[in-house]
Amino acid sequence: MLFRKRSSRQMIDEELLKTLENVKQEWLMRRALIDKSIEPSYELVYELKLTKAKYLFLLKVAKTRKLSSKP
């Protein structure tokens, strides 16, 4: 077959890896912002914890699916 349709699992895995990378960048950005601030607001600390939890959850899902961002 010349043109194969990608399986839904591959598409979901690619989307998961993209989302994982985006959430990681967001988490690192928020952490750097808190590190630079003198007195971070409670909202910012809450958002940092929430973003970290999202990242760790997505990382756990990626590990159970045996995904790797390396080609």
Side-chain angles (χ1 to χ4, degrees):
M1 298 190 125
L2 236 179
F3 298 104
R4 282 189 124 178
K5 199 174 190 181
R6 289 197 296 182
S7 70
S8 61
R9 180 176 170 90
Q10 280 182 325
M11 292 171 49
I12 291 171
D13 289 348
E14 288 175 8
E15 187 65 30
L16 177 63
L17 288 174
K18 287 178 190 176
T19 305
L20 184 65
E21 185 61 34
N22 290 340
V23 171
K24 180 181 178 183
Q25 292 301 321
E26 184 179 342
W27 174 43
L28 293 175
M29 181 185 65
R30 290 183 195 274
R31 192 171 70 181
L33 186 60
I34 285 181
D35 289 342
K36 291 179 183 180
S37 64
I38 295 171
E39 192 173 319
S41 68
Y42 293 114
E43 292 174 3
L44 189 58
V45 173
Y46 171 76
E47 289 174 359
L48 174 70
K49 289 180 181 181
L50 182 65
T51 308
K52 181 180 178 183
K54 285 181 188 177
Y55 174 70
L56 293 176
F57 174 76
L58 291 173
L59 189 62
K60 187 176 181 179
V61 171
K63 283 183 179 181
T64 58
R65 294 177 73 101
K66 298 179 182 171
L67 294 179
S68 175
S69 61
K70 297 177 184 175

